[in-house]
Amino acid sequence: MPRRGLARKADGTPTNKTQRNFTDPQSHLMQSGGSYLQGYNCQLAVDSDHQVIVALGVSNQPPDVEHLEPMLVRIAASAGALPTVMTMDAGYWSENNANSCADQGIDAYIATGRLPHGQPPPPKRGPLPRNADAKARMARKIRCKKGAKIYAQRKAIVEPVNGQIKEARGLRRFLLRGIEKVSGEWHLIAATHNLLKLFRFRRSKQQALAAASG
């Protein structure tokens, strides 16, 4: 995963604006909800059928855009294949990311800008200009009837998982320090999340079978 170091001059000495957190020197300031917190950028990829986490990672680099490529590698290693369709929020938008998905056979739907929470992208009609760039083409893709329907599924796939981990299970901060230990804690959280999903799925199947058999 991308990793951010401290700002340094060419000779290796820190700059005047270099900051280090003495509690966890490997963490960095992250923007969250209009404010800043000291922490890590935790990534996860979720399947659309059962909200099972198929890949995850931890980085101290705030922008999401740099994390798509390494996450695709992890998805392929974990699931044995890349998804045919993938939705991502605006933090992952770049022409390189869009091209990388297309080259790997992924039908990607990446938001190109942020909208107020819960507000669908405005519809787009009419011919696309011939000189439209990659960003304009992607914006049109997720605003057409088919694209808007696909992208809307994102709020029922990955967002509930974030809520289940943060709110239902109470993970508001990590207990360990250092990127390797935080990564281990994040993997543990994901593993127990998946176990709960699998347990509840199996129980629902057993209950349905018992009801059908009388």
Side-chain angles (χ1 to χ4, degrees):
M1 302 296 286
R3 185 168 294 195
R4 176 184 176 186
L6 295 174
R8 302 176 185 273
K9 298 178 182 178
D11 62 0
T13 59
T15 67
N16 293 333
K17 295 183 178 180
T18 299
Q19 296 179 336
R20 177 186 290 272
N21 183 278
F22 291 103
T23 301
D24 186 354
Q26 292 184 323
S27 65
H28 280 278
L29 282 174
M30 307 277 170
Q31 191 169 10
S32 176
S35 60
Y36 288 89
L37 55 82
Q38 190 78 25
Y40 293 93
N41 186 339
C42 296
Q43 301 281 318
L44 53 81
V46 180
D47 91 301
S48 59
D49 293 329
H50 306 292
Q51 294 180 347
V52 168
I53 298 172
V54 297
L56 70 162
V58 174
S59 167
N60 61 4
Q61 184 77 305
D64 287 327
V65 67
E66 301 173 21
H67 296 79
L68 178 58
E69 286 285 356
M71 284 299 292
L72 290 178
V73 173
R74 293 181 178 213
I75 292 171
S78 174
L82 290 171
T84 55
V85 178
M86 195 169 181
T87 60
M88 290 158 275
D89 67 20
Y92 296 91
W93 165 253
S94 75
E95 185 172 351
N96 287 339
N97 281 347
N99 291 338
S100 177
C101 287
D103 291 342
Q104 298 179 74
I106 302 171
D107 186 14
Y109 293 80
I110 313 174
T112 57
R114 298 191 180 278
L115 292 170
H117 184 70
Q119 178 178 327
K124 277 285 189 178
R125 296 181 177 87
L128 190 67
R130 292 184 177 180
N131 61 347
D133 59 13
K135 187 173 184 178
R137 293 195 299 272
M138 180 60 72
R140 172 63 64 89
K141 180 179 180 180
I142 66 172
R143 291 180 185 182
C144 71
K145 187 175 181 179
K146 175 186 174 183
K149 183 177 181 180
I150 291 174
Y151 189 78
Q153 296 176 24
R154 183 181 175 277
K155 62 185 178 183
I157 298 173
V158 67
E159 292 303 337
V161 174
N162 288 325
Q164 290 157 17
I165 290 175
K166 291 180 179 180
E167 303 301 333
R169 301 182 61 195
L171 180 66
R172 306 305 302 181
R173 64 181 62 192
F174 289 107
L175 301 177
L176 303 179
R177 300 291 181 266
I179 194 167
E180 299 301 331
K181 292 181 179 180
V182 167
S183 179
E185 190 174 349
W186 187 230
H187 276 76
L188 178 61
I189 291 293
T192 51
H193 168 89
N194 285 349
L195 286 172
L196 283 170
K197 290 292 182 182
L198 295 171
F199 169 76
R200 288 166 180 163
F201 176 77
R202 182 178 181 182
R203 184 175 61 180
S204 67
K205 288 292 185 180
Q206 292 172 337
Q207 291 173 343
L209 182 62
S213 62

